[in-house]
Amino acid sequence: MVGLKPPEVPPPAAVKFLSAGTAACIADVCTFPLDTAKVRLQIQGEVRIPRSPSTVEYRGVLGTLSTMVRTEGPRSLYSGLVAGLQRQMSFASIRIGLYDSVKQLYTPKGAESTGLGARLLAGCTTGAVAVTCAQPTDVVKVRFQAHGAIPDSARRYSGTVDAYRTIAREEGVRGLWRGTLPNIARNAIVNCGELVTYDLIKDALLRAQLLTDNVPCHFVAAFGAGFCATVVASPVDVVKTRYMNAGPGQYRNVPSCLLALLMQEMQDGLAGLYKGFVPSFLRLGSWNVVMFISYEQLQRAAVLAWPAP
């Protein structure tokens, strides 16, 4: 047996809420450089980026990471980490920690098991609510990650708090919720791809008695969830990243951002919507593995430390 044993009584919602946020922060710290590489690859080729011989070009995951370290220093790999952790504590706590509770609300009374429809509805609901609450943290995180190798004096923001203030002052409070609609679409899809797929794979493994309810089972289910989530969410993720990183007036709305992306990447066809797919999968796959294993173990540790009366 690997890891702590599952509790006989399911953990309360508060334990799941805090465990999800903590586990997501652990996963973010482990995988943040891959997320930064994904953002750099997704925004590469934007109209407002000067296309000159001196422009830094990113090629592949390892190439992007090595270029960033060479031109900007190792700290650039974790640019925006503070906003990223703020995002996870507010975002993952809701979308992951409340998933089981919301799933039960959609499950008919007396049903022996939760159907696929109830799982999908729960994933969409918690994903949408989480984005609505945590969108400002995501906007700031993306903008810090998108910073190129420019002098500190030329950077838009001096720090995380300054970024929130500056965006609100220059773009209005609505600027902090820039890209909310594509982010809701993305995270409803990602939430279903992650949580529902994880749920289904884990249930199938346990029912078939291929694995017990512990770390190896959680690893397999989380890896499959990460791949499915990346496939379905990458196109929305590319549009979301570009729109959130854009300056005032660059795009009229989300559809115009999508159209500009397609026009710029016509030679690649729909492949332009999958820019940064490899780092997206490496990041989302590894993020899911670390997060779900940590989440399951944190819940069990909390139940052992504070048993229900």
Side-chain angles (χ1 to χ4, degrees):
M1 188 71 71
V2 181
L4 299 173
K5 294 181 180 179
E8 295 181 4
V9 179
V15 168
K16 293 182 178 181
F17 186 87
L18 292 174
S19 297
T22 305
C25 286
I26 294 171
D28 239 31
V29 170
C30 294
T31 63
F32 204 79
L34 292 172
D35 191 37
T36 303
K38 177 204 73 173
V39 169
R40 293 292 180 91
L41 287 168
Q42 286 178 337
I43 65 171
Q44 185 164 261
E46 279 187 296
V47 169
R48 70 186 186 91
I49 296 177
R51 310 299 293 173
S52 66
S54 60
T55 299
V56 176
E57 294 286 348
Y58 303 113
R59 299 184 183 279
V61 184
L62 295 178
T64 300
L65 295 174
S66 62
T67 299
M68 289 176 62
V69 171
R70 186 177 68 254
T71 60
E72 305 169 46
R75 291 182 61 183
S76 65
L77 299 178
Y78 282 90
S79 181
L81 178 63
V82 174
L85 296 180
Q86 292 171 354
R87 173 181 180 268
Q88 292 300 350
M89 279 308 298
S90 56
F91 182 70
S93 298
I94 296 172
R95 78 177 186 92
I96 299 170
L98 299 184
Y99 169 75
D100 287 331
S101 300
V102 175
K103 183 174 68 174
Q104 294 305 315
L105 293 177
Y106 287 121
T107 302
K109 289 185 178 180
E112 293 184 2
S113 61
T114 304
L116 178 60
R119 297 177 202 246
L120 291 172
L121 284 171
C124 290
T125 301
T126 58
V129 172
V131 169
T132 303
C133 296
Q135 181 70 4
T137 61
D138 205 11
V139 171
V140 172
K141 177 184 79 78
V142 166
R143 294 200 181 182
F144 270 103
Q145 289 176 313
H147 274 165
I150 57 177
D152 290 341
S153 59
R155 292 180 180 270
R156 284 190 274 181
Y157 318 113
S158 60
T160 305
V161 176
D162 179 61
Y164 289 117
R165 282 200 301 256
T166 303
I167 293 171
R169 184 177 65 250
E170 295 181 354
E171 304 174 36
V173 176
R174 291 180 60 184
L176 291 169
W177 270 266
R178 171 179 280 274
T180 299
L181 290 179
N183 213 11
I184 286 177
R186 174 194 179 271
N187 282 287
I189 294 170
V190 167
N191 226 30
C192 291
E194 285 181 351
L195 295 176
V196 176
T197 304
Y198 178 83
D199 224 1
L200 293 172
I201 294 175
K202 180 181 172 183
D203 282 354
L205 291 172
L206 295 177
R207 281 200 308 270
Q209 297 184 342
L210 296 174
L211 293 169
T212 58
D213 188 4
N214 229 302
V215 173
C217 174
H218 305 157
F219 178 90
V220 173
F223 187 84
F227 180 77
C228 291
T230 308
V231 170
V232 299
S234 277
V236 184
D237 194 29
V238 173
V239 176
K240 180 215 77 165
T241 298
R242 289 203 173 190
Y243 189 69
M244 286 168 60
N245 183 57
Q250 185 176 349
Y251 302 116
R252 289 197 313 276
N253 47 38
V254 176
S256 70
C257 179
L258 172 60
L259 182 60
L261 172 64
L262 292 175
M263 294 295 289
Q264 293 164 30
E265 312 292 344
M266 283 184 66
Q267 67 274 18
D268 295 329
L270 292 179
L273 294 174
Y274 280 89
K275 272 200 165 191
F277 179 84
V278 173
S280 289
F281 171 61
L282 289 176
R283 191 261 174 180
L284 206 49
S286 56
W287 190 92
N288 271 270
V289 168
V290 176
M291 194 285 299
F292 276 114
I293 290 176
S294 300
Y295 177 48
E296 298 272 12
Q297 295 301 306
L298 284 170
Q299 289 181 84
R300 296 173 185 189
V303 171
L304 288 174
W306 298 284

